[in-house]
């Protein structure tokens, strides 16, 4: 199985939100299948190095992709994550003991940019413990192939690839976006969106342009 992205996102600043990892219990989360371009691994010890094919990803690690850069990870529960260009994301929690015993859980912090994932055992058996956190909203799933995206407000002089906010495109299964103002369920071929933490999530009438160039995954 292989993911790819045809069109890089416009460069956005890297956000160093170290507080997102507070309280994580660290352990193996997955292994890198491939790396394209400039991709950095920031470990839980705050060491930064180039991400390499075959590298182990652990709880507490962050991955930062540059422009025209991407990476794919096979997770310990059998899921896959393909990381888009100009993305900063962290694996706060990713726990799977090798059997379905109810302890499975995953919390991913999406600080900017996006990724595509086909969830593994955690997303199928313990859906309530699988969440993607952003500064604006939480994305939850119900066993799915989906594409979360977080576009922060642009800095002066920057042009973002779309309106700022949290998006999620569902390809299969279902997902939801939740803020303090409400929740929206997202079905296949729908895109959920919320502009800020004080807004109610909605379903967009059209597919945003930045999703139109993303390649579809091959069968496992």
């Amino acid at each position: 199985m292989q993911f790819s992205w045809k069109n890089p996102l416009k460069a956005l600043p890297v956000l160093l939100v170290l507080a997102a990892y507070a309280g994580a219990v660290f352990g193996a989360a997955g292994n890198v299948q491939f790396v394209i371009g400039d991709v950095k691994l920031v470990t839980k010890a705050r060491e930064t190095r180039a991400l390499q094919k075959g590298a182990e990803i652990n709880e507490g690690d962050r991955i930062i992709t540059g422009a025209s850069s991407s990476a794919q990870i096979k997770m310990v529960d059998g899921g896959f994550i393909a990381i888009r260009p100009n993305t900063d994301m962290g694996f706060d929690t990713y726990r799977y003991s090798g059997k379905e015993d109810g302890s499975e859980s995953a919390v991913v912090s999406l600080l900017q940019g996006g990724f595509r994932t086909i969830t593994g055992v955690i997303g199928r058996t313990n859906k309530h413990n699988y969440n993607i956190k952003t500064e604006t909203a939480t994305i939850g799933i119900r066993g799915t192939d989906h594409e979360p995206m977080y576009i922060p407000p642009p800095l002066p002089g920057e042009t973002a690839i779309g309106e700022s906010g949290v998006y999620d495109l569902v390809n299969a299964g279902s997902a939801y976006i939740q803020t303090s103002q409400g929740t929206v369920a997202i079905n296949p071929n729908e895109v959920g969106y919320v502009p800020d933490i004080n807004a109610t999530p909605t379903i967009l009438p059209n597919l945003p342009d930045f999703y139109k160039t993303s390649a579809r995954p091959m069968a496992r």
Side-chain angles (χ1 to χ4, degrees), residues 23 91-92 111-113 115 138 154 182 195 198 213-214:
F91 294 92
D92 300 2
L111 308 181
Q112 69 174 33
F115 59 90
T138 296
N198 296 314
T213 55
S214 60

Side-chain angles (χ1 to χ4, degrees), residues 15-95:
L15 305 178
L16 302 178
V17 187
L18 298 175
Y21 306 100
V25 177
F26 303 120
N31 288 91
V32 179
Q33 292 190 306
F34 68 77
V35 176
I36 297 173
D38 179 20
V39 183
K40 297 291 192 299
L41 171 68
V42 182
T43 72
K44 59 182 178 288
R46 302 184 186 180
E47 298 173 348
T48 301
R49 58 177 179 265
L51 188 67
Q52 302 289 334
K53 179 180 177 180
E56 184 174 86
I57 303 300
N58 297 300
E59 285 189 328
D61 287 349
R62 287 169 54 213
I63 295 177
I64 302 171
T65 59
S68 303
S69 303
S70 59
Q72 180 170 306
I73 304 168
K74 183 174 183 179
M75 310 310 296
V76 292
D77 68 334
F80 291 85
I81 293 179
I83 307 173
R84 296 188 70 151
N86 293 305
T87 292
D88 186 345
M89 64 179 295
F91 294 92
D92 300 2
T93 302
Y94 212 101
R95 302 172 192 165

Side-chain angles (χ1 to χ4, degrees), residues 65-140:
T65 59
S68 303
S69 303
S70 59
Q72 180 170 306
I73 304 168
K74 183 174 183 179
M75 310 310 296
V76 292
D77 68 334
F80 291 85
I81 293 179
I83 307 173
R84 296 188 70 151
N86 293 305
T87 292
D88 186 345
M89 64 179 295
F91 294 92
D92 300 2
T93 302
Y94 212 101
R95 302 172 192 165
Y96 177 59
S97 65
K99 59 182 179 180
E100 300 173 23
D101 58 8
S103 66
E104 311 86 35
S105 64
V107 178
V108 175
S109 290
L110 183 56
L111 308 181
Q112 69 174 33
F115 59 90
R116 182 172 186 169
T117 180
I118 294 178
T119 56
V121 173
I122 299 172
R124 293 194 301 269
T125 64
N126 210 348
K127 305 173 183 65
H128 298 294
N129 283 348
Y130 190 114
N131 292 292
I132 298 161
K133 305 287 188 180
T134 75
E135 292 184 353
T136 299
T138 296
I139 296 172

